[in-house]
Amino acid sequence: MKILMHNLSCLIKNRFVLFTASLVLFMGLNFWFNKSLLPSTDVKDLWFYSGIFMILFSILFIEPYYTSPKNVVTNTIPLLLLFLSIADDFQNKTLWLTLIIIVLSILVISIISMALHDENKSPDNWKNRFSEITKKLVVFVGRGKIIYSAVFLFFLYVNVTSKSLDKIFDSYFITIIVLWGLVLAIDPKELNSTFSFKKKKKNTEEVGVVFGVQSRKMFLVRLYEDRKFIKKFDVVRYRYSMQDSNDYVITGIVFDTYLLNQEKWAKVLQLGTIKVEVKESEKNVVYKISNKEEKEALIKELNINAFVGVIIRGSEIGKIKFEYSKKQDDLQEGDLLELKVGDKRLFYQVVGGVTEKEKLEGRNETGFIEGEAVQLGEWQNSKLSFQKFGWVPAINTPIFKADTSDISIQKFTHPEWELGIIPNTTLPSVINLKEAVSHHLALLGVTGSGKSYLAREIIKKLKENNTKIICIDFTGEWRKELSEEDLEDFSDINTAIDSNKISLIELASVSNTTQSLEETNKKLQEIFAYAKENENCKDICLVLEEAHTIVPETTFLGDYGDYSANKALVNKMSQIALQGRKYGVGLMVLAQRTANVSKTVLTQCNTIVCFQAFDETSFTFLSNYIGKDLVRALPNLKQYHAIVTGKAMRSNLPMIIDLERK
């Protein structure tokens, strides 16, 4: 019985069934009262019936979409032409002229409303305010239910009074009036255009309809007028009419919302699919997931809290650009991102971000943040490094903040050592200390950035593994930072080699800089000669603190006194230092600015750890090692964060790492 009643209700609410039934009813009534199925050819009869049918047609097929003065114009022009064409049939010219003036006024006001509206001015502008007021007026008066009712009632009156005033109270007149009232009672919002008897469950989670596709994963959705409560990161599901299988429903999030041409619409990003269980989901209709348990499960499954943004145009193999859109605004330079390309899990590191704007339609624009990240590649646990991926991810590929807790790092021992980790991950940056020393290591950065701290950490590890440390220091800082038990003053190379302590060379403060260079040169020659004569001696690491005082760039030698003599000394020390690696003597160069240090020495440092820097000379020099994208990140590096690259690093790709020890 319930099914029967439901099917009957569906039929009654079908606009085509209603129109057909109404047509049959009118013809039946006309035959009952006038003994003819069709109205007479009299003009008054024709327009009387035309009026009632225009009301019916307007309510059933036009009014649901009736929203602007344009629709009023399409209604009033035919009426104006109608009254002009039947002017000769009117005996009462005053009444005819009144009708012409009313219809013409509605038409003129509609045109004025459209003409005054100015998209380039605010809604508060007097033109737009007046346009809105007139729009509401003409849309109300000019709708089919109102304007065609006036036509119907007018011709009904003319039809009846032309015969006899007594006709107003007869059964035909009353029946027609009742029928007109029933037509007005039809609610167009309750009607449907389908003949399906399948009961549709009213779903309050419907929010809009897919009307376009930007890419394979980004869909454009026009939101329903009464469903504008949707916001960014809401979880949604939908079937798309062009998808391969109906067995699955697309799941995703609202990526962004826009107000465009007085309509609100959204971008919806696909993040996954789920097996269909609720079969009543209509194609292209987007449903907001409000059930708390289902929503929380999908947030976890789709990793929405770690969602960062999507790939945008301008991306390259080695560097991606992405539109930033994170639920919690906590992304920082150096953070690791991940995305999927097929079955590969690729990692990228954030190096920068700028504000950009996106053009929607015409002059409409919206702002967003464009992030940049360099490719590290696919993590290879067996090699403790990344493998580069040779192609570009597709536009609108989702990007997430990397979670590396599922990667189990294999153990490693000396000379491999964990220099640091990629910020906020468990992935180590591993350095081979033996190669770092033998092929020279440069630690660069401004005062307080962490280079001396890192140097002491490396020295402790080298000392534990039978490497002799000799530190040349003019600052006096090393004696303060290291305990006296670990230190010895360098006096003789043989004594220093036999001892397990850190040998410290501290030259007395002298006014003659040339003398400082000569003293340093003498010590270096002594160390080099010993290593050359004793090939089986332990490795030696020469630490050059404030390297610009020991091996300065030749352009600064004029400030040191005798330029020619000083240049000869620096060149000699540079050659000694560089040739020393053949005999197990390596350098650890510490400097604040690359501009002040001998480029002969710096260019031979095959491993570089660069902390925060600000000078253009350093940027120009370092861009050859770490690339222009990472160079731009140098001024913003945190304390104890550095960019590392070179021969001794397990991963030969430049990257930002966190060197802080917990």
Side-chain angles (χ1 to χ4, degrees):
M1 188 65 181
K2 287 183 179 180
I3 296 175
L4 181 63
M5 293 299 293
H6 168 69
N7 292 344
L8 183 60
S9 175
C10 288
L11 279 175
I12 293 173
K13 291 182 179 180
N14 185 284
R15 50 175 50 95
F16 298 105
V17 172
L18 275 175
F19 186 77
T20 304
S22 300
L23 184 64
V24 171
L25 180 60
F26 280 123
M27 292 175 67
L29 287 173
N30 197 67
F31 184 80
W32 178 265
F33 289 106
N34 300 318
K35 308 304 179 186
S36 173
L37 289 175
L38 300 176
S40 70
T41 56
D42 187 80
V43 172
K44 294 187 291 296
D45 281 353
L46 285 174
W47 286 112
F48 154 64
Y49 282 104
S50 296
I52 191 72
F53 274 106
M54 283 305 297
I55 298 170
L56 183 65
F57 191 82
S58 177
I59 290 174
L60 294 180
F61 300 105
I62 300 175
E63 205 150 298
Y65 317 101
Y66 194 90
T67 57
S68 73
K70 294 178 184 177
N71 303 110
V72 178
V73 172
T74 58
N75 273 353
T76 52
I77 288 180
L79 286 180
L80 189 63
L81 296 175
L82 160 66
F83 285 119
L84 289 172
S85 66
I86 60 175
D88 296 337
D89 295 321
F90 272 83
Q91 295 179 355
N92 190 337
K93 297 298 181 183
T94 303
L95 180 59
W96 175 84
L97 185 60
T98 302
L99 291 172
I100 288 289
I101 292 172
I102 292 172
V103 174
L104 189 60
S105 298
I106 295 173
L107 176 62
V108 170
I109 294 172
S110 299
I111 294 171
I112 291 173
S113 176
M114 291 187 291
L116 285 178
H117 182 69
D118 190 345
E119 292 182 354
N120 295 320
K121 291 186 170 62
S122 70
D124 292 332
N125 181 269
W126 73 268
K127 288 184 178 180
N128 287 337
R129 282 188 296 174
F130 186 77
S131 173
E132 188 65 22
I133 293 170
T134 53
K135 171 189 170 183
K136 290 179 180 178
L137 174 65
V138 296
V139 166
F140 176 78
V141 176
R143 67 177 62 187
K145 187 180 286 188
I146 302 295
I147 201 166
Y148 291 126
S149 285
V151 173
F152 162 73
L153 292 174
F154 171 75
F155 281 107
L156 177 62
Y157 170 76
V158 170
N159 185 286
V160 171
T161 55
S162 64
K163 296 176 181 177
S164 171
L165 287 175
D166 295 338
K167 291 285 186 180
I168 292 177
F169 303 102
D170 70 8
S171 57
Y172 176 73
F173 182 86
I174 294 172
T175 302
I176 293 297
I177 290 294
V178 170
L179 203 57
W180 168 67
L182 291 175
V183 170
L184 292 183
I186 297 173
D187 184 359
K189 293 181 181 178
E190 293 292 324
L191 302 180
N192 62 76
S193 301
T194 63
F195 290 92
S196 173
F197 293 130
K198 184 178 179 181
K199 185 175 181 180
K200 180 188 174 184
K201 183 180 178 181
K202 182 67 176 177
N203 195 330
T204 58
E205 294 181 342
E206 295 180 16
V207 294
V209 178
V210 175
F211 74 93
V213 182
Q214 277 196 329
S215 71
R216 200 166 65 89
K217 289 184 178 292
M218 190 72 79
F219 297 80
L220 303 178
V221 176
R222 182 177 287 112
L223 301 176
Y224 295 143
E225 186 68 26
D226 57 345
R227 292 289 192 274
K228 292 186 177 180
F229 53 81
I230 198 165
K231 60 185 184 301
K232 286 180 68 171
F233 302 108
D234 278 342
V235 187
V236 296
R237 59 180 172 84
Y238 52 100
R239 273 201 193 100
Y240 180 50
S241 58
M242 299 297 290
Q243 69 188 67
D244 298 332
S245 172
N246 287 328
D247 295 333
Y248 290 89
V249 165
I250 294 172
T251 56
I253 59 169
V254 175
F255 183 74
D256 211 345
T257 59
Y258 304 95
L259 188 62
L260 182 64
N261 295 333
Q262 306 303 316
E263 293 181 333
K264 190 171 182 182
W265 55 286
K267 284 184 180 179
V268 174
L269 176 68
Q270 177 183 352
L271 293 179
T273 56
I274 55 174
K275 189 75 174 177
V276 174
E277 293 181 359
V278 185
K279 292 292 185 181
E280 64 267 16
S281 297
E282 292 188 30
K283 285 190 174 181
N284 296 331
V285 175
V286 179
Y287 301 84
K288 178 182 175 181
I289 297 176
S290 302
N291 180 274
K292 186 177 180 181
E293 292 182 0
E294 183 183 5
K295 182 179 177 181
E296 288 179 354
L298 278 174
I299 286 175
K300 185 176 180 181
E301 179 185 336
L302 301 177
N303 201 18
I304 291 172
N305 290 331
F307 176 73
V308 167
V310 295
I311 298 289
I312 59 175
R313 63 183 180 179
S315 297
E316 304 169 4
I317 293 176
K319 181 181 69 174
I320 58 169
K321 293 185 177 182
F322 59 94
E323 182 175 343
Y324 175 71
S325 181
K326 197 167 188 305
K327 197 170 184 180
Q328 184 179 353
D329 193 7
D330 61 354
L331 195 68
Q332 299 181 53
E333 193 171 55
D335 280 348
L336 196 66
L337 307 178
E338 65 176 284
L339 57 84
K340 284 286 190 70
V341 176
D343 59 348
K344 292 188 179 296
R345 182 185 184 187
L346 304 182
F347 293 96
Y348 293 78
Q349 192 167 41
V350 177
V351 293
V354 295
T355 55
E356 283 290 348
K357 60 184 179 181
E358 175 185 14
K359 206 166 253 193
L360 300 178
E361 278 186 22
R363 291 180 293 275
N364 294 287
E365 292 179 344
T366 181
F368 67 94
I369 295 176
E370 178 185 293
E372 292 184 352
V374 293
Q375 187 197 145
L376 299 184
E378 190 177 10
W379 176 257
Q380 294 184 316
N381 207 30
S382 60
K383 297 181 179 179
L384 295 170
S385 64
F386 293 94
Q387 176 69 40
K388 287 281 274 188
F389 180 69
W391 198 234
V392 187
I395 283 182
N396 289 325
T397 298
I399 307 171
F400 300 88
K401 198 169 182 179
D403 179 8
T404 60
S405 58
D406 61 325
I407 299 177
S408 180
I409 307 300
Q410 68 175 24
K411 293 182 179 180
F412 50 89
T413 57
H414 185 81
E416 308 288 352
W417 181 62
E418 184 179 299
L419 183 66
I421 60 170
I422 297 176
N424 302 314
T425 74
T426 58
L427 299 183
S429 176
V430 179
I431 187 171
N432 185 304
L433 291 177
K434 189 173 182 65
E435 289 188 353
V437 173
S438 65
H439 288 76
H440 308 320
L441 169 67
L443 307 181
L444 310 173
V446 297
T447 300
S449 57
K451 61 181 183 298
S452 295
Y453 163 80
L454 177 62
R456 291 191 293 273
E457 289 286 306
I458 294 175
I459 284 170
K460 289 176 185 177
K461 275 291 173 187
L462 290 172
K463 182 171 168 288
E464 290 172 6
N465 292 277
N466 206 30
T467 298
K468 179 60 185 178
I469 309 298
I470 302 174
C471 178
I472 305 175
D473 181 26
F474 292 91
T475 66
E477 291 296 321
W478 285 75
R479 190 174 292 279
K480 296 177 184 177
E481 296 294 339
L482 297 173
S483 67
E484 289 296 330
E485 296 177 358
D486 294 327
L487 290 172
E488 66 176 3
D489 291 322
F490 183 91
S491 58
D492 178 78
I493 185 62
N494 292 292
T495 306
I497 292 295
D498 291 337
S499 170
N500 196 35
K501 294 187 176 183
I502 298 171
S503 296
L504 193 61
I505 301 176
E506 289 183 300
L507 296 181
S509 178
V510 290
S511 57
N512 185 354
T513 311
T514 301
Q515 184 178 345
S516 303
L517 296 176
E518 288 175 344
E519 289 292 326
T520 306
N521 181 45
K522 183 179 177 182
K523 299 292 183 184
L524 290 178
Q525 282 184 331
E526 183 182 342
I527 294 166
F528 176 72
Y530 178 87
K532 190 174 182 180
E533 293 170 5
N534 299 273
E535 294 184 10
N536 295 323
C537 72
K538 64 173 66 177
D539 292 337
I540 299 173
C541 176
L542 283 175
V543 181
L544 308 184
E545 177 65 78
E546 298 295 344
H548 66 276
T549 63
I550 305 168
V551 281
E553 182 60 278
T554 54
T555 53
F556 292 90
L557 288 175
D559 300 330
Y560 281 61
D562 187 339
Y563 176 81
S564 298
N566 292 342
K567 183 176 180 181
L569 285 170
V570 170
N571 288 338
K572 187 181 291 185
M573 285 189 290
S574 298
Q575 291 304 315
I576 291 171
L578 299 179
Q579 292 178 24
R581 77 180 188 189
K582 301 176 185 176
Y583 306 101
V585 180
L587 297 180
M588 184 188 298
V589 178
L590 283 74
Q592 294 184 36
R593 297 179 67 237
T594 62
N596 299 348
V597 184
S598 168
K599 298 301 181 293
T600 306
V601 173
L602 277 182
T603 53
Q604 292 299 315
C605 292
N606 288 291
T607 305
I608 289 180
V609 179
C610 189
F611 294 84
Q612 191 180 48
F614 299 100
D615 60 294
E616 284 294 332
T617 308
S618 293
F619 298 161
T620 303
F621 176 79
L622 291 168
S623 64
N624 298 316
Y625 291 87
I626 62 177
K628 294 180 180 179
D629 295 315
L630 278 170
V631 158
R632 295 202 307 267
L634 286 174
N636 304 316
L637 290 178
K638 294 181 179 179
Q639 188 180 34
Y640 304 122
H641 280 210
I643 298 173
V644 299
T645 188
K647 182 177 178 59
M649 304 305 302
R650 268 294 191 101
S651 183
N652 57 4
L653 299 168
M655 66 179 70
I656 300 171
I657 65 169
D658 181 358
L659 297 150
E660 187 175 7
R661 301 312 192 245
K662 305 301 181 185

